Amino acid sequence: AWYVGNGEISWGRAILMSLLAIAWIWVAGVIVAECIGRTNWSPLSGMTLIAVTLLIFAIKGSSDMLTTIRVSLFVGAAVCLAISQASDIMLDLKSGYLVGGIPRRQQIAQFIGTWLGPIIVVWLMIVLHQTKPGGMGSEALPAPQAEALASTIDSIVSGDVPAYRYTAGGGLGLMLALSGLGGVGVLVGLGFYMPFAIVLTYTIGNVLRVISDRWLGKPFGYEYGVPVAAGFIVGEALVNVGHAIVQVFASGAAG
């Protein structure tokens, strides 16, 4: 509204962006919900990347490029949040179904978390950015999705959009989906642009799970392996956040 009021974006382009965003939320929401339901993997970053690209092309030429990118990122962020709700709700309902949860109570908890989550997460992201060497995008806090988005925007700005590459990737993803190996396309894509350290450790975990299922049986993995692995994830996250908070208070006391 601010950009429209200042005459930087016309009402026609703004309405076009709104309609495009709503349509993409519906399409991408269905895709993400199905992916998370089938494979527990959510292609949220890819759906957001496509949304921002479409939005940039929708208003490109109606204003200067900087304004075009800013508006597209703002609307794209809203689209990303809307799509993520489809992913979160599907994952919660799926998990609740497996443990006998009540959908109504899950929806109430989801509504509360929708408002409470951003307040906590945004603060934690600021803390981590200020305390980790190099901040967001560094080796300490890699941001592969943001780097992929920045690379796409640079290609659009320079007029060197590799459309044939996106088409080839989409075609290969479609072939993998039709092959019956659900989620393989998402896994291959994530493995390609995520940092090597993350991909390597994830691979080690997969190998350990295969060995465990083969020699100790699948019940052992579900009863012991999954809880221990969940403890690894939660424990490391809590330690990193706690360390960042301690550094913030320590720097404040020193200052």
Side-chain angles (χ1 to χ4, degrees), residues 80-167:
C80 177
L81 291 175
I83 298 173
S84 68
Q85 288 302 306
S87 173
D88 291 341
I89 291 174
M90 174 58 73
L91 182 59
D92 289 347
L93 292 177
K94 176 183 177 181
S95 302
Y97 174 79
L98 294 175
V99 299
I102 301 175
R104 180 176 178 273
R105 294 180 179 178
Q106 290 182 263
Q107 290 291 293
I108 294 174
Q110 185 78 24
F111 180 78
I112 296 174
T114 299
W115 296 98
L116 182 62
I119 299 175
I120 299 176
V121 171
V122 169
W123 180 76
L124 289 178
M125 295 297 287
I126 294 174
V127 171
L128 291 173
H129 177 69
Q130 294 177 345
T131 56
K132 293 293 183 179
M136 293 293 177
S138 63
E139 293 185 1
L141 287 175
Q145 293 88 348
E147 293 175 0
L149 179 59
S151 176
T152 301
I153 293 176
D154 288 339
S155 299
I156 296 174
V157 172
S158 62
D160 184 25
V161 181
Y164 65 95
R165 297 177 186 174
Y166 291 115
T167 304

Side-chain angles (χ1 to χ4, degrees), residues 2-113:
W2 186 87
Y3 285 101
V4 174
N6 284 272
E8 298 186 37
I9 297 293
S10 65
W11 278 105
R13 296 282 182 163
I15 294 174
L16 175 61
M17 291 184 68
S18 300
L19 295 176
L20 182 60
I22 293 172
W24 187 248
I25 288 173
W26 185 85
V27 174
V30 173
I31 295 174
V32 168
E34 184 171 357
C35 287
I36 202 72
R38 289 177 177 270
T39 66
N40 278 353
W41 282 88
S42 172
L44 177 61
S45 59
M47 296 296 103
T48 304
L49 181 64
I50 296 174
V52 173
T53 302
L54 294 176
L55 290 169
I56 291 177
F57 278 111
I59 64 172
K60 187 178 180 181
S62 63
S63 181
D64 61 276
M65 185 54 67
L66 181 59
T67 300
T68 298
I69 293 175
R70 286 177 177 174
V71 175
S72 299
L73 287 177
F74 287 152
V75 179
V79 172
C80 177
L81 291 175
I83 298 173
S84 68
Q85 288 302 306
S87 173
D88 291 341
I89 291 174
M90 174 58 73
L91 182 59
D92 289 347
L93 292 177
K94 176 183 177 181
S95 302
Y97 174 79
L98 294 175
V99 299
I102 301 175
R104 180 176 178 273
R105 294 180 179 178
Q106 290 182 263
Q107 290 291 293
I108 294 174
Q110 185 78 24
F111 180 78
I112 296 174

Side-chain angles (χ1 to χ4, degrees), residues 166-186 188-189:
Y166 291 115
T167 304
L172 291 174
L174 179 62
M175 292 175 59
L176 289 173
L178 294 176
S179 68
L181 302 175
V184 173
V186 177
V188 173

Side-chain angles (χ1 to χ4, degrees), residues 133-253:
M136 293 293 177
S138 63
E139 293 185 1
L141 287 175
Q145 293 88 348
E147 293 175 0
L149 179 59
S151 176
T152 301
I153 293 176
D154 288 339
S155 299
I156 296 174
V157 172
S158 62
D160 184 25
V161 181
Y164 65 95
R165 297 177 186 174
Y166 291 115
T167 304
L172 291 174
L174 179 62
M175 292 175 59
L176 289 173
L178 294 176
S179 68
L181 302 175
V184 173
V186 177
L187 297 178
V188 173
L190 289 173
F192 189 82
Y193 74 80
M194 290 186 71
F196 178 74
I198 296 178
V199 177
L200 177 62
T201 51
Y202 181 79
T203 303
I204 293 174
N206 285 332
V207 172
L208 292 176
R209 178 61 185 272
V210 172
I211 295 175
S212 171
D213 289 346
R214 181 177 180 84
W215 295 100
L216 300 176
K218 291 185 177 181
F220 178 86
Y222 284 109
E223 295 177 8
Y224 298 97
V226 172
V228 171
F232 283 157
I233 298 171
V234 176
E236 182 178 359
L238 292 176
V239 169
N240 288 333
V241 172
H243 182 258
I245 294 175
V246 170
Q247 286 185 330
V248 170
F249 283 107
S251 60

